[in-house]
Amino acid sequence: MSDDTRNDVSRKQAEEAVRTLLRWSGEDPAREGLLDTPKRVVKAYEDWFSGYALDPDDYLQRTFEEVEGYDELIVLRDIQFESHCEHHMAPIIGRAHVGYLPDGKVVGISKLARVVEAYARRFQVQEKMTAQIAGCIQRALHPLGVGVVIEAAHECMTTRGVHKRGVSMVTSTMLGTFREDARTRSEFLKFISVGQNR
C-alpha cells in the first residue's frame, strides 16, 4: 500500500468525501477559498486520529524497579488532551488525571501522558476512554491499584443540540485498591482536586 492509501481508502477518495460534504452543506468546493480545504481536512485527520496507528501498551513496556522501596501513590494530573466524539465527530477538550499505587515497578511519567494521547487521538466516548487508559496501566504495571479521572467539555453539546456552554463531564475508573479502599481513593481525589481551584 502506498502512503496515499490507508485502510483501503485512497487520499483522493478521502478528499472527494470532503468535497461531497461541502456540496451537501450548500458550498461550492471549486470556490477559491475552498480549493485546498479537502487536502487540509485530510491532513488534519492524519493528526487528529493518529492514535489508530499507535499501540498504547507499547509505551509502558519499559519499567523501572529501582525505586528504593517507594510504595506510595504516583499521580500525574492535568494531562490536557483533544479528542473527537464518535457520535458527532465534534471535539472533546479536556484533562486527564492518572494515578497508580506501584507494586515494585514504575514507568516514566511521560509514558502515562502518551497513553492518554494515544487513546484520545481516536473517535471516542469519554467513558470508554477512561476505562481504556486504566486498563492499559493495569495490564502493563500490575500495580496494587489504578485511578483515572477525566474532565472534558463536549462540543457536540455546546455547539449543537442543547447549546449548553460551560458544562463539563467527569468520568472515573478505579481499579484494585482505588476501588476497594476508600482511603486510597480519597487520597487520589484529593491530589487531583477535581473541580476545585488549585
Side-chain angles (χ1 to χ4, degrees):
M1 253 185 257
S2 72
D3 290 341
D4 279 357
T5 299
R6 290 181 175 207
N7 305 308
D8 297 323
V9 178
S10 71
R11 182 176 297 272
K12 183 177 178 182
Q13 288 172 309
E15 290 175 5
E16 189 54 42
V18 176
R19 288 187 194 91
T20 299
L21 282 174
L22 287 170
R23 283 191 296 273
W24 184 86
S25 299
E27 264 293 356
D28 176 9
R31 182 167 65 79
E32 182 183 9
L34 294 174
L35 280 176
D36 290 330
T37 296
K39 289 179 184 175
R40 292 187 188 111
V41 170
V42 170
K43 188 170 183 179
Y45 265 52
E46 288 177 326
D47 182 29
W48 289 338
F49 304 110
S50 58
Y52 288 112
L54 302 172
D55 182 353
D57 290 82
D58 287 347
Y59 290 126
L60 303 183
Q61 291 304 308
R62 184 168 183 221
T63 61
F64 304 95
E65 296 182 13
E66 293 181 11
V67 293
E68 299 295 331
Y70 184 85
D71 61 357
E72 298 291 332
L73 283 181
I74 296 171
V75 178
L76 190 62
R77 66 184 188 188
D78 295 324
I79 307 166
Q80 296 186 1
F81 70 86
E82 303 91 34
S83 190
H84 285 78
C85 160
E86 70 179 39
H87 300 138
H88 301 97
M89 300 169 72
I92 302 170
I93 310 295
R95 299 180 300 163
H97 314 283
V98 176
Y100 66 97
L101 191 58
D103 188 18
K105 58 184 176 180
V106 299
V107 69
I109 59 172
S110 69
K111 306 305 184 189
L112 296 173
R114 289 185 186 279
V115 167
V116 171
E117 191 74 2
Y119 283 117
R121 290 187 175 274
R122 302 174 181 193
F123 286 111
Q124 276 294 6
V125 173
Q126 185 174 324
E127 298 91 332
K128 179 174 75 173
M129 180 176 156
T130 307
Q132 286 173 325
I133 294 166
C136 182
I137 295 166
Q138 182 66 40
R139 283 191 304 275
L141 298 180
H142 303 286
L144 298 174
V146 178
V148 176
V149 174
I150 294 181
E151 305 173 78
H154 292 244
E155 296 297 311
C156 58
M157 183 175 171
T158 63
T159 63
R160 58 161 298 282
V162 294
H163 292 275
K164 295 298 178 192
R165 297 199 172 275
V167 176
S168 63
M169 180 173 166
V170 179
T171 52
S172 68
T173 296
M174 305 288 174
L175 304 176
T177 56
F178 282 68
R179 177 183 287 271
E180 298 155 6
D181 186 340
R183 290 173 302 173
T184 302
R185 182 169 56 254
S186 178
E187 185 179 8
F188 171 60
L189 295 174
K190 183 178 178 183
F191 277 4
I192 65 174
S193 301
V194 172
Q196 299 178 13
N197 294 325
R198 295 195 286 266

